[in-house]
C-alpha cells in the first residue's frame, strides 16, 4: 500500500519493517503501542509518529484528546492558514464550502472533494471511519488490501478493540461486530414483507407488494447520469435444462429453431464530454433469483453511483425470475446479456474490449458464473473484472460454514428464506445445488478467471462464501481482494445506510483500476456548467417503458 502526500510516495509497510528493533515501545492510554526514538534510512519527513493534527474546527482541548486517542503513523497536515482554496477543484472556501483535511495525504479540500468517509488500515491508528479525498481513494483501498505482513515484522501500533484491522482473509472495517443502529430495523421489516408476499411454506407467493414498495423510481435518487435507456435483448423463450452430469451449455445459436422472447436491459450513461467509447459494467441485481428488478430504487441508486464514480456505462439486466423460470434460465439470460453488450456496445457508446461483470447477492453469484462461462465458451475478449457483492457461491442450507450457523436466523437472510429461494429455483433442490454453475466454489479449476473484488457483510450467513471463494481464486493464481463490512448485513450495499457509501466507493475504485481509468477521468460536475440544459436534463429522466424517445433501436 502506498500513501501519498504532494505527489510523493511513502511505503508504510516497509517503514514499519525498517524500524530499529531496539526501540522502546510505550503503551499509551488508548492501548496503542508507539515506537520511540525510531531510526530509519527512509525519509519520514512526510509522516509523523503521533497524530497531532485534529479537524479544522476542533478546539485545543479536542486536539489534545484526539492526539492521546489516535496514535499512529500519519501524514503531516497542511496548515489551515496556508490554504484558501480547495486543492482539487480550486474553489475558494466559504461558510458553506467548508475545508477538511484528507486523513490519507494531509492536504486540505472542500466538503465536496473530501466527503467520503472510510475505514483506514491499522497503522493510521483511527478507530472509526475518516475522511479521504477523491484523489486518495484508490491508494487508500489498495493500501487496505495489503495483508501479506511478515509475522516477524515489528508493527508500531496495536489496534484498539474497534480499530479497522487487516487479516489474511481480507480487510475488516472494524474490530467490532455491532450492527449499525439503522440497519437493525431492516430485519423485522423484511420478515413482515416476506411473510406478506407469501414467501413461506403454505403461502401464495406474489411479488407485487415488494415490487410496488421498491419501484418508486424517484428521479432525484442517486448520482447524476446523462441518460437511462431501456432496450430489449433477444433470448429463447425457454432455455434447455443442463444434463445430469453434462457440462454442455447452450446459446441461441445452437438451439434448433428456438421460440424467441426478450428481456429488458437498462443502460446508464455517465455525464461526460468525451467522445471515446466508455468501458461497460454489466450489472445483475440480487433477490435470491426470485425477487428484485433493475427498476428498483436501490438498484437504480447503485447503477447511477457506479456509472458516475467509475466513469463507465452500466448495463443493468432484468433477467427472468423463479419460480416462473427455473434454473438455468437466470444463468443463460445473464450470459446472453453479456454477449449482446459485446456485440452492440459501440452503438450506445461502449467499448467492447473493456467489459466487467458485477452484482449483489444472487447477482454476485451470476457474475461469478458468467465469468466462468466466458472462459468455458471462449468469449471473444477477456473480462476485465468481476465485482462480487456478498455472493452465494455454495449451498447455503448446510451447517458446514461458521456464518451459516451463526446467522441461521438472519438478520434479513435466514435459513428459512434461503431454503424458500432454493426451492423456487430448482425442481430438485438437492441435485440442483450440485451443479457447478449453482455452486461455483466447487469448480475443479478457477484458473484464467478475471480478477475479483469481493465485498461481504459480517452479519450475513453468506459471509464465509466470500472468504472461501477468495482463497480458491488466489490459489489458482487469480487476483482477488476481499473486504468485510463488520457493521453491516445482507442487503446493505446501495441502501445509503451505515457503511453502504464506503462499499460503493470501494467497488467503483476497483472497477476504475480494472478499466485503467486514471483519477483525471473522473467526471467533474464543474466542467458541465456550459453544457446545454437538454443534455443534463436527461440525467433526471425516469425510466419509462412506454417512452419511445428514451429507447434505443439496435
Amino acid at each position: 500500500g502506498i500513501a501519498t502526500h504532494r505527489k510523493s510516495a511513502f511505503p508504510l509497510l516497509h517503514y514499519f519493517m525498517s524500524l530499529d528493533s531496539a526501540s522502546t515501545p510505550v503503551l499509551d492510554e488508548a492501548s496503542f503501542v508507539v515506537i520511540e526514538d525510531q531510526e530509519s534510512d527512509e525519509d519520514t519527513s512526510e509522516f509523523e509518529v503521533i497524530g497531532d493534527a485534529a479537524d479544522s474546527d476542533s478546539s485545543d482541548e479536542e486536539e489534545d484528546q484526539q492526539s492521546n486517542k489516535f496514535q499512529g503513523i500519519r501524514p503531516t497536515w497542511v496548515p489551515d492558514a496556508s490554504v484558501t482554496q480547495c486543492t482539487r477543484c480550486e474553489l475558494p472556501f466559504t461558510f458553506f464550502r467548508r475545508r477538511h483535511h484528507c486523513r490519507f495525504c494531509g492536504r486540505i479540500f472542500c466538503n465536496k472533494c473530501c466527503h467520503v468517509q472510510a475505514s483506514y488500515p491499522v497503522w493510521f491508528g483511527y478507530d472509526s471511519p475518516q475522511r479521504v479525498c477523491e484523489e486518495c481513494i484508490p491508494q487508500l483501498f489498495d493500501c487496505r488490501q495489503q495483508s501479506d505482513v511478515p509475522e516477524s515484522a515489528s508493527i508500531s501500533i496495536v489496534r484498539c478493540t474497534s480499530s479497522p484491522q487487516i487479516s489474511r482473509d481480507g480487510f475488516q472495517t472494524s474490530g467490532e461486530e455491532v450492527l449499525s443502529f439503522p440497519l437493525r430495523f431492516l430485519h423485522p421489516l423484511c420478515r413482515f414483507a416476506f411473510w406478506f408476499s407469501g414467501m413461506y411454506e403454505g403461502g401464495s407467493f406474489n411479488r407485487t407488494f415488494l415490487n410496488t414498495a421498491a419501484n418508486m423510481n424517484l428521479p432525484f435518487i442517486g448520482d447524476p447520469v446523462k441518460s437511462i435507456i431501456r432496450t430489449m435483448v433477444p433470448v429463447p423463450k425457454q432455455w434447455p435444462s443442463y444434463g445430469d452430469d453434462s457440462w454442455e451449455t447452450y446459446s441461441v445459436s445452437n438451439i434448433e429453431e428456438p421460440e424467441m422472447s426478450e428481456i429488458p436491459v437498462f443502460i446508464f450513461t455517465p455525464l461526460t464530454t468525451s467522445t471515446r467509447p466508455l468501458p461497460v459494467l454489466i450489472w445483475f441485481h440480487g433477490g435470491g433469483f426470485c425477487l428484485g428488478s433493475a427498476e428498483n430504487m436501490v438498484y437504480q441508486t447503485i447503477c447511477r453511483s457506479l456509472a458516475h464514480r467509475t466513469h463507465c456505462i452500466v448495463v443493468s439486466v432484468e433477467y427472468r425470475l423463479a419460480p416462473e423460470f427455473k434454473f438455468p434460465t437466470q444463468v443463460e439470460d445473464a450470459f446472453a446479456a453479456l454477449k449482446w453488450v459485446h456485440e452492440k456496445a459501440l452503438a450506445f457508446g461502449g467499448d467492447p474490449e473493456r467489459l466487467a461483470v458485477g452484482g449483489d447477492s444472487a447477482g454476485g453469484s451470476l457474475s461469478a458464473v458468467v465469468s466462468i462461462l466466458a472462459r468455458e465458451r471462449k468469449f471473444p475478449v477477456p473480462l476485465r473484472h468481476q465485482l462480487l457483492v456478498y455472493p452465494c457461491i455454495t449451498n447455503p442450507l448446510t451447517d458446514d460454514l461458521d456464518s451459516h450457523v451463526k446467522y441461521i436466523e438472519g438478520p434479513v437472510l435466514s435459513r428459512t428464506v434461503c431454503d424458500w429461494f432454493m426451492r423456487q429455483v430448482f425442481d430438485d433442490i438437492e441435485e440442483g445445488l450440485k451443479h457447478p454453475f449453482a455452486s461455483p466454489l466447487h469448480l475443479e479449476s478457477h484458473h484464467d478467471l478475471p480478477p475479483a473484488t469481493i465485498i461481504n457483510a459480517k452479519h450475513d450467513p453468506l459471509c464465509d462464501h466470500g472468504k472461501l471463494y477468495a482463497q480458491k481464486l488466489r490459489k489458482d493464481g487469480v487476483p482477488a481482494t476481499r473486504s468485510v463490512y463488520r457493521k453491516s448485513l445482507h442487503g446493505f450495499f446501495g441502501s445509503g445506510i451505515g457503511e453502504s457509501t464506503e462499499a460503493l466507493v470501494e467497488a467503483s475504485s476497483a472497477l476504475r483500476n480494472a478499466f485503467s481509468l486514471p483519477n483525471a477521468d473522473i467526471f467533474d460536475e464543474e466542467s458541465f456548467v456550459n453544457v446545454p440544459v437538454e443534455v443534463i436534463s436527461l440525467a433526471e429522466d425516469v425510466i419509462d417503458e412506454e417512452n419511445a424517445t428514451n429507447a434505443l433501436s439496435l
Side-chain angles (χ1 to χ4, degrees), residues 183-208:
L183 291 175
R184 300 176 193 179
F185 296 97
L186 284 184
H187 181 60
L189 288 175
C190 288
R191 288 195 64 176
F192 172 77
F194 292 162
W195 170 82
F196 193 83
S197 300
M199 283 179 52
Y200 294 102
E201 188 173 354
S204 177
F205 176 56
N206 186 340
R207 65 172 66 90
T208 303

Side-chain angles (χ1 to χ4, degrees), residues 304-364:
R304 282 172 173 264
S305 179
L306 292 176
H308 177 74
R309 296 198 64 88
T310 308
H311 198 66
C312 73
I313 293 173
V314 178
V315 178
S316 186
V317 181
E318 191 81 283
Y319 57 88
R320 290 172 288 184
L321 302 175
E324 295 87 347
F325 297 92
K326 300 287 188 178
F327 176 85
T329 300
Q330 296 76 29
V331 172
E332 294 298 340
D333 280 359
F335 188 73
L338 173 64
K339 290 181 60 180
W340 179 89
V341 168
H342 178 258
E343 295 169 0
K344 305 294 185 180
L346 290 174
F348 56 80
D351 184 351
E353 302 296 319
R354 291 190 292 172
L355 305 179
V357 293
D360 70 312
S361 192

Side-chain angles (χ1 to χ4, degrees), residues 200-464:
Y200 294 102
E201 188 173 354
S204 177
F205 176 56
N206 186 340
R207 65 172 66 90
T208 303
F209 170 74
L210 292 175
N211 285 343
T212 301
N215 290 4
M216 290 186 288
N217 291 333
L218 300 178
F220 51 82
I221 292 296
D223 290 312
V225 292
K226 182 178 180 180
S227 63
I228 304 174
I229 300 171
R230 182 183 189 274
T231 188
M232 308 300 291
V233 174
V235 294
K237 191 171 184 179
Q238 182 68 48
W239 291 101
S241 298
Y242 298 148
D244 293 337
D245 56 356
S246 173
W247 266 81
E248 184 178 8
T249 50
Y250 302 89
S251 64
V252 175
S253 60
N254 62 14
I255 300 177
E256 295 183 4
E257 299 181 359
E259 184 179 355
M260 298 302 293
S261 182
E262 293 178 320
I263 59 173
V265 295
F266 298 87
I267 304 171
F268 295 76
T269 303
L271 287 167
T272 178
T273 55
S274 174
T275 58
R276 297 175 299 172
L278 298 176
V280 183
L281 168 68
I282 298 91
W283 178 265
F284 307 109
H285 66 79
F289 306 105
C290 303
L291 304 173
S293 167
E295 296 186 78
N296 287 175
M297 183 173 61
V298 168
Y299 291 112
Q300 282 202 45
T301 301
I302 291 173
C303 292
R304 282 172 173 264
S305 179
L306 292 176
H308 177 74
R309 296 198 64 88
T310 308
H311 198 66
C312 73
I313 293 173
V314 178
V315 178
S316 186
V317 181
E318 191 81 283
Y319 57 88
R320 290 172 288 184
L321 302 175
E324 295 87 347
F325 297 92
K326 300 287 188 178
F327 176 85
T329 300
Q330 296 76 29
V331 172
E332 294 298 340
D333 280 359
F335 188 73
L338 173 64
K339 290 181 60 180
W340 179 89
V341 168
H342 178 258
E343 295 169 0
K344 305 294 185 180
L346 290 174
F348 56 80
D351 184 351
E353 302 296 319
R354 291 190 292 172
L355 305 179
V357 293
D360 70 312
S361 192
S365 308
L366 289 177
S367 300
V369 174
V370 165
S371 299
I372 296 168
L373 281 174
R375 181 192 67 180
E376 295 297 316
R377 298 180 181 179
K378 306 296 188 295
F379 193 67
V381 297
L383 296 180
R384 292 294 186 94
H385 206 71
Q386 50 179 324
L387 172 61
L388 313 179
V389 182
Y390 34 77
C392 181
I393 300 296
T394 186
N395 186 347
L397 307 179
T398 69
D399 291 335
D400 297 341
L401 302 180
D402 291 341
S403 62
H404 284 182
V405 177
K406 185 173 183 179
Y407 301 106
I408 192 170
E409 295 298 333
V412 177
L413 192 64
S414 65
R415 178 72 60 84
T416 302
V417 173
C418 288
D419 180 77
W420 186 89
F421 281 145
M422 296 300 101
R423 293 185 184 280
Q424 311 311 306
V425 175
F426 301 104
D427 290 320
D428 186 330
I429 187 172
E430 185 175 347
E431 291 299 319
L433 285 171
K434 292 180 181 179
H435 196 282
F437 291 170
S439 300
L441 176 66
H442 306 296
L443 197 66
E444 183 176 345
S445 170
H446 294 84
H447 289 95
D448 302 320
L449 294 179
T453 295
I454 301 175
I455 293 176
N456 281 124
K458 180 62 178 177
H459 302 262
D460 181 2
L462 305 184
C463 183
D464 287 346

